[in-house]
Amino acid sequence: MQQNLYFALLLVATSALTMFAVLLIMGAFRKTPSRATAPGQGGGDPVFLFEGTTLIDANERGVALLATLGKQGNTSSQDVWQRLTQFLSRDFPDLEAVLQDVPERERRSVPSRNASAKLEIIAERSNGTLRLTLVDTLAENGVVTMDRLSYRATQDELALLRRLIDTAPFMLWREGSQGQITWANGAYLRSLADDAELTTWPLPALFPLGDANATHRLSLTESTGKKRSNWFDVSRVPDEEGHLAFALPADEAHQADRAKHDFIQTLTKTFATLPIGLAVFDRARRLQMFNPALTDLTGLETEFLLSRPGLEGFLNRMRDKRVLPEPRDYRSWARRLLDIETTAPTGGFEETWTLPTGQTFRVSTNPHPDGALAFLIEDITSETHMTRHVRAEMETSQSVLNQIDSAIAVFAANGQLVLTNTAFSKLWTLEGEDALTAVTLPEALENWREASNNPQLWTRIASLTRPNSDEPVPVTGIMALPDGERLSVEARRTETGALMISFIQHDLQKTAPEADPRAVQRAQILRASA
């Protein structure tokens, strides 16, 4: 009886263990449910349901993903498509074109082109709607665990960075390896379309592709093809997936550069018409600018000047062309010119060069505060010849005037004594050039009037200096001096407005001026005005 009881219990236990094993096996072979859950439900991968480009529904993971993408542009449901395709464009560059090819009531898997991303998109079309599931193929329900405080700090920093980037007054964007725009800040979007709603991605490129690590000044181009007034300095920095690009406003810099360019063009045109040779050297003493007159005067080849020679090479070439004077110590002379800022007392240099060809150059240099040096060469050959000619004529005229026995004095229209002859100097004992500037016409007339017994004569002579005078020309008379000497006086106006007065002595006895007491007295009469 007891043995039967043990046997019954053994059968029951065996049956229970068998049933438990069956249940375990059935649980092991049961199909694992999909990680993607329907929209409106939690857990799984992010799932989105679109009708066209309008978001209809999303699960909790999808909503969380959209929240992390931030808000650029407007906040409508159509904007979700733009933000999502922008986020996915890095790993799925042709996503929109691929999704348009998904047939109705079919399911298509789109793998990522970025092998390191380990992502794929499952797209399904049904009844005019598009269901997108973003699958992370790297891990089942892979999540990153973070404590609450760290998560809060990360979110705060992320929000701050987004505000800074979206409110920055310059454009930032990211370009893929093919030049497609994969990300852009608010300034870029506002420049792209101020009021238009952006519904396509990738975004159109505002600027053409350029070299990395180089800055290019570019202007925005409107849809009409006309250039806007907005100019930017565009630079790019290499990135692991393309380039990071920056566009800084450069309107003021462009206007300044344009004004500088126009000013230089104006100066260039002005310099081109100058008869004076001009050569401008920079701080390093390299030729930066010259005009055609420089080549005409010096004979220097244009090719040589375009090679931007140094100042020393410039002088050596002029020496070879024999358009430099040959000083005794050429090296010291050239060194003084090279060190003009320190050697010249006033910071300038000026010389007159007389060349073997008969030409005469006036050469001057003017250093500028920024270190530049302007080198001026002026041909004064004709001026020098004219000066010499005039000086020779004046010397000839003076020599002829000195041969006349009458004492002659010429007063300019301003009353200054400008010319006398030897007889006048002996009569009134005037010596040296200083005597000319010491006597003026009004003072001389007044003193001669007081010294003579014929004041009406000097009144008539004084009237000749007045405009539209009706006094007959010449004015003549006799001047009787206190010592009894008599002088014949004659005054007349010249065509230039000067007044010429001549004195003729009636006493023909020749007496040395220094021994004649009357000469001393006459000198005192005239010098009383000095």
Side-chain angles (χ1 to χ4, degrees):
M1 182 69 179
Q2 187 175 5
Q3 185 176 0
N4 293 335
L5 179 61
Y6 287 152
F7 181 74
L9 291 175
L10 181 59
L11 289 176
V12 172
T14 302
S15 299
L17 289 174
T18 302
M19 184 62 69
F20 183 71
V22 171
L23 292 175
L24 287 178
I25 293 174
M26 290 178 63
F29 284 96
R30 187 175 57 183
K31 183 179 179 180
T32 303
S34 174
R35 293 179 297 116
T37 57
Q41 299 178 2
D45 294 315
V47 181
F48 308 92
L49 187 61
F50 289 93
E51 184 176 0
T53 59
T54 302
L55 179 67
I56 299 176
D57 198 1
N59 65 353
E60 291 183 4
R61 292 288 299 277
V63 173
L65 175 60
L66 293 176
T68 60
L69 297 181
K71 298 178 180 180
Q72 298 181 6
N74 56 50
T75 57
S76 63
S77 59
Q78 286 88 351
D79 181 57
V80 175
W81 178 265
Q82 174 193 336
R83 287 188 282 142
L84 184 61
T85 53
Q86 174 187 356
F87 169 70
L88 297 175
S89 61
R90 290 178 54 191
D91 303 314
F92 306 90
D94 303 326
L95 178 60
E96 291 196 54
V98 172
L99 294 179
Q100 290 177 358
D101 295 337
V102 177
E104 184 72 16
R105 297 186 181 278
E106 284 194 18
R107 174 173 175 168
R108 180 173 295 183
S109 177
V110 183
S112 171
R113 291 190 180 181
N114 186 359
S116 61
K118 302 298 183 182
L119 296 175
E120 69 174 351
I121 292 178
I122 299 176
E124 299 176 75
R125 284 195 181 275
S126 178
N127 298 325
T129 62
L130 177 64
R131 185 175 187 270
L132 298 180
T133 304
L134 182 59
V135 180
D136 183 1
T137 62
L138 187 61
E140 290 285 333
N141 292 321
V143 295
V144 178
T145 304
M146 182 182 295
D147 62 90
R148 187 175 61 85
L149 294 179
S150 298
Y151 177 78
R152 178 181 176 183
T154 302
Q155 292 299 313
D156 291 344
E157 182 178 4
L158 180 60
L160 175 61
L161 293 177
R162 282 175 175 164
R163 286 196 301 271
L164 288 174
I165 292 176
D166 285 339
T167 58
F170 51 88
M171 288 183 277
L172 303 172
W173 68 96
R174 190 177 191 179
E175 299 174 347
S177 57
Q178 302 300 323
Q180 70 276 16
I181 308 300
T182 60
W183 177 89
N185 72 336
Y188 188 98
L189 298 178
R190 289 189 293 270
S191 298
L192 184 64
D194 294 334
D195 300 322
E197 184 175 325
L198 303 177
T199 58
T200 60
W201 201 268
L203 297 174
L206 289 175
F207 302 98
L209 293 177
D211 299 333
N213 298 321
T215 300
H216 303 277
R217 181 159 296 169
L218 304 171
S219 65
L220 289 178
T221 304
E222 297 178 345
S223 58
T224 58
K226 298 181 179 179
K227 288 187 176 180
R228 299 180 182 176
S229 59
N230 304 85
W231 288 84
F232 297 88
D233 287 335
V234 180
S235 58
R236 290 174 170 84
V237 178
D239 183 61
E240 58 183 4
E241 298 180 7
H243 294 92
L244 299 177
F246 311 86
L248 301 178
D251 286 342
E252 294 183 0
H254 176 74
Q255 293 175 2
D257 290 344
R258 186 65 183 175
K260 178 182 177 182
H261 177 268
D262 294 342
F263 179 70
I264 292 177
Q265 289 294 324
T266 302
L267 287 181
T268 302
K269 294 178 181 178
T270 303
F271 292 157
T273 60
L274 287 178
I276 301 176
L278 173 67
V280 179
F281 295 85
D282 59 14
R283 182 178 302 178
R285 294 295 179 265
R286 307 293 298 182
L287 181 63
Q288 296 296 328
M289 182 185 300
F290 65 93
N291 66 342
L294 183 68
T295 61
D296 297 338
L297 293 175
T298 63
L300 297 178
E301 301 83 357
T302 304
E303 294 77 8
F304 169 74
L305 297 176
L306 290 176
S307 65
R308 296 188 175 183
L311 179 57
E312 188 171 4
F314 176 78
L315 295 175
N316 291 335
R317 181 61 67 92
M318 290 182 64
R319 187 185 185 190
D320 295 339
K321 292 288 184 178
R322 301 182 66 83
V323 288
L324 271 184
E326 195 62 38
R328 294 182 179 179
D329 189 352
Y330 173 77
R331 293 185 179 274
S332 299
W333 178 86
R335 180 55 54 188
R336 180 169 64 92
L337 188 59
L338 293 173
D339 300 335
I340 186 172
E341 294 92 344
T342 57
T343 58
T346 60
F349 172 90
E350 183 172 345
E351 283 187 354
T352 301
W353 295 351
T354 302
L355 306 180
T357 59
Q359 290 179 292
T360 303
F361 288 167
R362 179 188 293 124
V363 180
S364 60
T365 58
N366 297 298
H368 295 271
D370 60 352
L373 182 68
F375 200 87
L376 304 175
I377 301 178
E378 181 181 3
D379 188 355
I380 58 172
T381 304
S382 59
E383 178 183 339
T384 302
H385 289 170
M386 182 175 294
T387 301
R388 292 173 181 173
H389 180 68
V390 171
R391 184 181 296 113
E393 288 187 347
M394 291 181 64
E395 291 176 353
T396 301
S397 300
Q398 183 67 50
S399 127
V400 172
L401 197 61
N402 289 338
Q403 299 302 316
I404 300 176
D405 292 334
S406 301
I408 298 175
V410 180
F411 293 87
N414 62 357
Q416 188 69 44
L417 179 62
V418 294
L419 185 63
T420 62
N421 64 348
T422 303
F424 183 88
S425 300
K426 290 181 179 180
L427 177 63
W428 302 105
T429 63
L430 294 177
E431 298 177 357
E433 295 182 356
D434 293 339
L436 296 179
T437 60
V439 180
T440 62
L441 178 60
E443 296 170 343
L445 293 178
E446 182 64 26
N447 286 289
W448 284 329
R449 180 185 293 109
E450 294 178 356
S452 68
N453 60 354
N454 190 359
Q456 293 80 8
L457 173 64
W458 302 108
T459 301
R460 293 169 57 200
I461 293 176
S463 66
L464 293 177
T465 61
R466 294 192 295 268
N468 302 323
S469 174
D470 56 357
E471 188 70 31
V473 179
V475 176
T476 60
I478 301 298
M479 177 181 181
L481 299 177
D483 59 3
E485 184 177 8
R486 296 169 63 82
L487 301 174
S488 294
V489 180
E490 180 180 311
R492 67 178 68 225
R493 285 181 66 91
T494 66
E495 294 180 355
T496 61
L499 181 65
M500 184 180 72
I501 304 176
S502 62
F503 300 87
I504 301 176
Q505 292 179 280
H506 286 212
D507 187 359
L508 299 179
Q509 182 180 0
K510 302 299 181 180
T511 308
E514 60 275 9
D516 187 358
R518 294 181 300 178
V520 177
Q521 185 178 8
R522 289 194 298 269
Q524 292 176 349
I525 293 174
L526 187 58
R527 290 177 183 275
S529 61

